[in-house]
Amino acid sequence: MLTFLGRRLLAVIPVLLVVSVVVFLLLRLSPGDPAAVIAGNNATTQDIAHIREQLGLDRNLPSQYGIWMGRVLQGDLGYSYYLGKPVLALIAQRVEPTLSLALGTAFLAVLLAIPLGTLAAWRMGGWLDRALSAFSVAGFSVPVFVIAYGLIYVFAMQLQWLPVQGYKPLTGPQAQGVWDWARQLVLPWLTLSTIYVALIARITRASVSEALSEDYIRTARAKGLGEFSVLLRHALANAAVPIVTVVGIGVALLIGGVVVTETVFAIPGLGSLTVDAVLNRDFPVIQGLVLLFSLSYVGINLLVDTSYLWLDPRIRH
Amino acid sequence: MRRYLLKVGLAVLVACGWSSAVLAQNTLAANKVFRFVPHANLAVLDPIWTTAYVTRNHGYMIYDTLFSEDGKGKIQPQMVQSYSTSKDGKTWTFKLRPSLAFHDGKPVTSTDVAASLKRWSSRDAMGSVLFGFVEQLETPDVNTLRMVLKEPCAIVLEALGKASSNVPFIMPARIAATPGTEQIKEHIGSGPFIFKADEFKPGAVAVYERNTKYVSRTEAPSGLAGGRPVHFDRVEWVIIRDPQTQFNAILAGEVDMVEQPSFEQYETLKKSPGVKVDDFTPAGFQYVMRFNHLHPPFNNPKIRQAAMLAVGQQAFINTQVGVPELVKPCRSIYPCSSVFADENTGVFTGVANPAKAKDLLKEAGYDGTPIVMMRPTDLAAITKLPLVAKQQLEAAGFKVDLQQMDWASLVARRAKKELPAQGGWNMFFTTWSAQDIDSPLSSAMLNARGAAGWFGWQDEPRIEDLKAKFARAHEGAEQKKIASQIQALVFETAAFVPLGQYRNPTVLRNNVTGLLQTPGIPVMWGLSKP
């Protein structure tokens, strides 16, 4: 186990190195100039050239990369060209809303999807199975912002049970309590969990139905075990590996890719920070975020792979 | 089971009661908090480093200025108590109002003023023109600033009372010592609000508290001038990018004012309960089409003129805005109803004349070189303009190569002087707030210094000479005459083409009163809620 973990952790280094080179080069070779964005509409080409010099963008690429990597290795992701603030500080400000959104969505999705998928597999062809299939199609097809606007219209505008937008922090001096924090996130959680419930429920249904056809299920039933025990301790437990894989991928995607939901609900997360940085060509912020997302993907994959050991004793690393 | 349910029920009731109490407390304080949705994300906080309007508006929250423009467009003293000019017009003496203080408690002195003006002039075009006249700035005492000029200058007050970016905001000398090419790190002014840097979250919220020690003028507020009565303890700028969410938030009462709702929502907002549409900037904005004067075909003035004749303003403003009552054609290069607006626009009528344009193209020997026209796909404010232009120019015989890109790519490409086929460009579009183009010295488009000029790089010494004369001319008829001469040259050389004017009204909750009309700045003083 320790060897496995050690090898996987060491593998992070070349991954991050490759990611850093790719994102660095892609940014500098793509159209767009942060100096021109910063200079504004009233600027002249001389103004832009001066800013490029100030930002060090007139240096050659290897030199720029070397300076940036040198700082990264010391834990310094640099300063935002546009905001003049440390990239780490900007990211730190956005982590809580993103994690709140991602983990809350994942929790809600798992809470709903696994029981639904298991029951659908248990009574395949029944009304629940058919309803779940229909829901899955809708969940995959309907765009997230349509779901969001629909929920806002019903629960915020008509019933006035929940707020339209915004985020209230859970921690820090501006925190106003768990209830205020959660209330702001109910609609975003419901919005995002729709697609994940659809996805996880379908995977659960497929995995559990496959497990239910195994001999050990027949043995368990023959030994007189109740259906609840058969489903939970035998079928679901053996079907867990693909389910955990999908949940892990879902959480990783939620951390980096919920821009639409963040925009609709005005949640200041990492997604909107990424979009702003890309639109402004704020290279240090983009680079820092991509490294962070890579690290989180690697970390989540490691957690998922490690969980296999616990879920399935047959797996040996 | 029954006991369990009872316990759960009681817990829920307690939680509801508790949250109601919290809500009630928040509601009681709600009328002391004003929530405003600005038109863009407030990312940069230095109004000298950037010309972004949202940063300029932030500047008005926390800084003050020596002079300000009133509701009638006249420049009035703001931080200045009194001022005088020597007989030869070369020495201006400004006395500051007593008891002005920065948010850190330190008094505002003439040293702070001098440093602030120097920093401002290092970035601002009009400031740079003014300081071209300045021999030296003297601070004979803490409340007196003396500006000694090399020769009389007609634009001193106009420059010091400049309303739009870059505004000559006054900050502490130690902060103003920051070069204009670097961002300031502290945001301390002497204005009616104090910026809460510890609560600032870029992309989410900016918070201001009432400056209880602000020394307001006693006159009634008028435009940006006069008193600045503040009726809120706290103002929150809530960043909501999505227009639909802005719409929902204002209807639900979660925010009090949305600076620029989307045009598509205008009619619905007018009819929606609980909100009202108003306008703090009747002067509005102007769309513009700009040529690259360096390369074919627009290095030929006749071909530029042909393009100018090919386009008609109504189609642009109708398509881009879509609300008839918010648009109006305006042929002048200065916003209509501004001081220098002039109906004499030479051959430019603002009405498309493809036949005449075709004749001129033939006369000019246009060889069919495609025009590389840049279109920003992510800037809703101007994204439709190139589509209209393409149609109208092609009707007149031009070949158009419309290239789509995001705004960041466009501004990068706009700065390139290479041939269009090698990464350069021929044409782009933009929009200006009326205040930015209502004077020959503030309009970036009139920077005709060739390679050192504004994008498009028109090289027209006659325009530059007239601008120099304007800076020395007497206010009134003399300046108006020169402004008209500049306009005539603009149309003679087809420097750029004005595409029409439009307004972008704001929306407020019905219970909000006191919205001031200003030269384009949504000010938070004067506003109140019962």
Side-chain angles (χ1 to χ4, degrees):
Chain A
M1 173 77 157
L2 282 175
T3 318
F4 161 70
L5 281 172
R7 257 191 273 135
R8 289 294 296 267
L9 285 170
L10 275 175
V12 167
I13 299 169
V15 167
L16 289 182
L17 205 59
V18 169
V19 165
S20 72
V21 170
V22 168
V23 70
F24 179 87
L25 284 176
L26 272 177
L27 285 174
R28 276 145 186 87
L29 298 175
S30 302
D33 181 353
V37 174
I38 289 164
N41 218 16
N42 289 19
T44 61
T45 40
Q46 287 81 358
D47 295 331
I48 295 171
H50 186 68
I51 293 171
R52 283 185 64 79
E53 196 188 334
Q54 268 198 315
L55 298 177
L57 293 170
D58 56 335
R59 294 195 178 108
N60 61 49
L61 291 185
S63 185
Q64 288 185 47
Y65 179 77
I67 292 169
W68 174 58
M69 268 319 277
R71 289 197 185 125
V72 169
L73 290 172
Q74 295 172 61
D76 176 8
L77 294 181
Y79 277 72
S80 159
Y81 289 159
Y82 210 65
L83 301 171
K85 290 186 181 318
V87 173
L88 268 175
L90 289 171
I91 290 176
Q93 267 186 349
R94 305 286 188 122
V95 165
E96 191 200 278
T98 292
L99 283 181
S100 299
L101 200 51
L103 297 178
T105 299
F107 176 75
L108 187 62
V110 164
L111 196 67
L112 293 173
I114 292 179
L116 284 173
T118 306
L119 290 171
W122 183 48
R123 288 286 182 257
M124 214 180 289
W127 67 268
L128 181 61
D129 187 24
R130 283 199 295 266
L132 187 64
S133 294
F135 175 79
S136 298
V137 168
F140 288 133
S141 315
V142 179
V144 158
F145 69 89
V146 172
I147 300 172
Y149 287 146
L151 288 172
I152 288 171
Y153 180 73
V154 171
F155 292 104
M157 307 296 292
Q158 295 303 308
L159 296 171
Q160 297 181 7
W161 287 352
L162 294 164
V164 167
Q165 53 77 40
Y167 177 78
K168 295 216 167 97
L170 185 58
T171 59
Q174 278 84 50
Q176 292 171 34
V178 175
W179 171 242
D180 275 345
W181 166 80
R183 201 165 163 266
Q184 297 288 146
L185 289 167
V186 169
L187 291 184
W189 283 335
L190 286 174
T191 302
L192 276 174
S193 64
T194 311
I195 187 167
Y196 287 102
V197 167
L199 177 66
I200 296 169
R202 292 290 291 176
I203 298 290
T204 305
R205 177 193 178 277
S207 298
V208 169
S209 69
E210 195 187 323
L212 282 173
S213 65
E214 294 288 337
D215 290 341
Y216 54 79
I217 296 294
R218 196 153 16 109
T219 307
R221 283 179 177 142
K223 283 163 81 176
L225 285 174
E227 273 306 292
F228 187 72
S229 182
V230 166
L231 271 178
L232 209 61
R233 291 180 59 204
H234 294 271
L236 188 57
N238 284 289
V241 166
I243 297 169
V244 164
T245 306
V246 166
V247 170
I249 292 170
V251 172
L253 285 173
L254 282 167
I255 287 173
V258 291
V259 173
V260 172
T261 306
E262 285 182 15
T263 303
V264 171
F265 290 102
I267 293 174
L270 291 173
S272 52
L273 179 65
T274 310
V275 168
D276 285 343
V278 168
L279 291 176
N280 290 325
R281 302 299 192 272
D282 200 342
F283 292 164
V285 176
I286 301 169
Q287 287 160 188
L289 283 166
V290 170
L291 283 181
L292 170 73
F293 293 146
S294 305
L295 206 56
S296 64
Y297 277 125
V298 166
I300 289 168
N301 277 334
L302 182 58
L303 273 173
V304 167
D305 288 347
T306 310
S307 73
Y308 294 163
L309 296 173
W310 176 64
L311 289 168
D312 190 346
R314 293 173 295 182
I315 293 171
R316 292 280 178 263
H317 294 276
Chain B
M1 182 62 165
R2 218 179 282 169
R3 270 191 211 161
Y4 171 73
L5 283 173
L6 198 59
K7 279 182 195 167
V8 167
L10 273 170
V12 168
L13 276 171
V14 166
C16 288
W18 172 77
S19 62
S20 296
V22 169
L23 274 170
Q25 190 179 32
N26 286 343
T27 305
L28 282 171
N31 289 350
K32 294 185 180 173
V33 180
F34 189 77
R35 291 192 178 87
F36 168 73
V37 180
H39 70 277
N41 178 24
L42 177 65
V44 176
L45 299 175
D46 185 345
I48 304 300
W49 188 80
T50 181
T51 55
Y53 291 153
V54 67
T55 309
R56 173 201 67 187
N57 299 345
H58 154 82
Y60 273 103
M61 295 288 286
I62 66 172
Y63 299 111
D64 220 334
T65 49
L66 292 182
F67 291 86
S68 290
E69 191 177 314
D70 71 11
K72 293 186 178 134
K74 290 219 164 307
I75 303 296
Q76 303 286 0
Q78 193 63 35
M79 294 172 81
V80 160
Q81 171 99 317
S82 63
Y83 64 96
S84 60
T85 331
S86 59
K87 276 200 183 126
D88 62 2
K90 290 206 264 186
T91 304
W92 289 71
T93 306
F94 306 97
K95 286 229 178 286
L96 297 175
R97 288 195 288 130
S99 309
L100 295 176
F102 289 114
H103 302 148
D104 58 5
K106 300 207 169 80
V108 177
T109 68
S110 48
T111 307
D112 302 308
V113 172
S116 300
L117 292 182
K118 281 182 187 155
R119 184 170 191 257
W120 163 70
S121 71
S122 72
R123 293 304 303 258
D124 183 67
M126 192 181 259
S128 156
V129 169
L130 172 64
F131 270 65
F133 285 83
V134 171
E135 180 82 50
Q136 61 191 28
L137 283 180
E138 294 167 359
T139 54
D141 63 58
V142 292
N143 288 325
T144 306
L145 178 79
R146 195 178 293 135
M147 184 182 279
V148 181
L149 305 175
K150 296 169 197 162
E151 57 177 297
C153 171
I155 62 157
V156 172
L157 295 185
E158 186 190 345
L160 296 180
K162 186 171 182 250
S164 193
S165 310
N166 303 89
V167 180
F169 291 122
I170 305 303
M171 39 187 86
R174 61 181 173 74
I175 299 176
T178 311
T181 49
E182 288 171 28
Q183 290 194 52
I184 56 177
K185 302 250 184 317
E186 292 175 82
H187 311 286
I188 294 173
S190 59
F193 294 97
I194 299 172
F195 179 62
K196 296 282 286 159
D198 56 331
E199 294 190 53
F200 174 53
K201 289 185 174 51
V205 69
V207 178
Y208 306 86
E209 275 184 355
R210 181 214 307 248
N211 176 10
T212 52
K213 298 196 169 94
Y214 179 64
V215 183
S216 177
R217 293 195 70 95
T218 53
E219 302 92 333
S222 168
L224 295 169
R228 294 184 175 180
V230 172
H231 303 295
F232 303 112
D233 292 339
R234 184 179 166 97
V235 173
E236 294 175 358
W237 282 24
V238 181
I239 309 301
I240 303 177
R241 297 154 212 271
D242 182 49
Q244 185 63 42
T245 307
Q246 292 177 359
F247 176 86
N248 291 337
I250 189 91
L251 290 187
E254 289 181 14
V255 297
D256 299 298
M257 179 175 172
V258 173
E259 185 183 349
Q260 285 182 6
S262 132
F263 291 125
E264 283 79 8
Q265 293 160 350
Y266 179 70
E267 294 298 341
T268 311
L269 282 168
K270 279 198 328 185
K271 298 173 202 152
S272 296
V275 299
K276 59 187 174 188
V277 173
D278 207 335
D279 208 339
F280 60 82
T281 178
F285 305 81
Q286 190 186 78
Y287 294 124
V288 164
M289 181 169 86
R290 175 69 163 179
F291 305 106
N292 185 344
H293 295 241
L294 289 183
H295 299 304
F298 292 133
N299 56 347
N300 183 331
K302 271 199 177 143
I303 295 182
R304 293 199 300 270
Q305 280 214 340
M308 194 170 71
L309 296 176
V311 299
Q313 292 189 337
Q314 201 69 57
F316 285 96
I317 48 184
N318 286 352
T319 306
Q320 183 61 56
V321 176
V323 181
E325 69 193 73
L326 297 181
V327 303
K328 83 172 168 193
C330 175
R331 299 197 314 262
S332 176
I333 64 170
Y334 310 109
C336 288
S337 74
S338 68
V339 169
F340 300 120
D342 190 345
E343 288 283 296
N344 298 315
T345 56
V347 298
F348 179 64
T349 62
V351 177
N353 192 338
K356 198 168 176 186
K358 251 189 196 143
D359 290 341
L360 198 52
L361 264 188
K362 204 170 162 185
E363 195 184 311
Y366 175 58
D367 61 2
T369 306
I371 296 165
V372 171
M373 181 188 288
M374 299 193 287
R375 177 180 179 230
T377 49
D378 61 334
L379 210 56
I382 57 172
T383 191
K384 296 176 192 170
L385 300 175
L387 302 173
V388 177
K390 180 176 181 335
Q391 209 173 41
Q392 294 192 339
L393 290 171
E394 283 176 346
F398 283 94
K399 282 208 173 57
V400 177
D401 173 12
L402 181 66
Q403 297 199 7
Q404 331 252 13
M405 59 197 76
D406 69 339
W407 181 249
S409 299
L410 188 150
V411 298
R413 191 165 177 174
R414 181 177 70 171
K416 291 188 181 185
K417 291 180 179 158
E418 285 88 327
L419 282 165
Q422 288 163 11
W425 56 279
N426 290 116
M427 185 182 274
F428 77 94
F429 300 80
T430 190
T431 178
W432 295 98
S433 170
Q435 285 64 43
D436 287 331
I437 53 170
D438 63 2
S439 161
L441 296 183
S442 60
S443 176
M445 299 181 290
L446 295 175
N447 182 342
R449 292 179 295 147
W454 196 61
F455 308 110
W457 307 290
Q458 183 186 22
D459 189 3
E460 185 48 76
R462 292 180 295 169
I463 290 180
E464 289 299 313
D465 289 342
L466 282 171
K467 280 162 60 184
K469 278 196 180 128
F470 181 92
R472 288 161 175 81
H474 289 300
E475 215 178 311
E478 199 180 336
Q479 279 191 338
K480 186 136 173 65
K481 186 178 167 194
I482 298 172
S484 295
Q485 288 170 338
I486 292 174
Q487 174 168 290
L489 268 178
V490 164
F491 289 118
E492 180 195 312
T493 60
F496 57 88
V497 184
L499 298 178
Q501 258 180 255
Y502 65 100
R503 296 184 297 115
N504 197 340
T506 192
V507 60
L508 308 108
R509 296 288 302 169
N510 272 344
N511 64 345
V512 177
T513 55
L515 181 72
L516 287 168
Q517 290 202 335
T518 66
I521 293 96
V523 299
M524 306 283 114
W525 59 84
L527 292 168
S528 64
K529 295 194 284 190

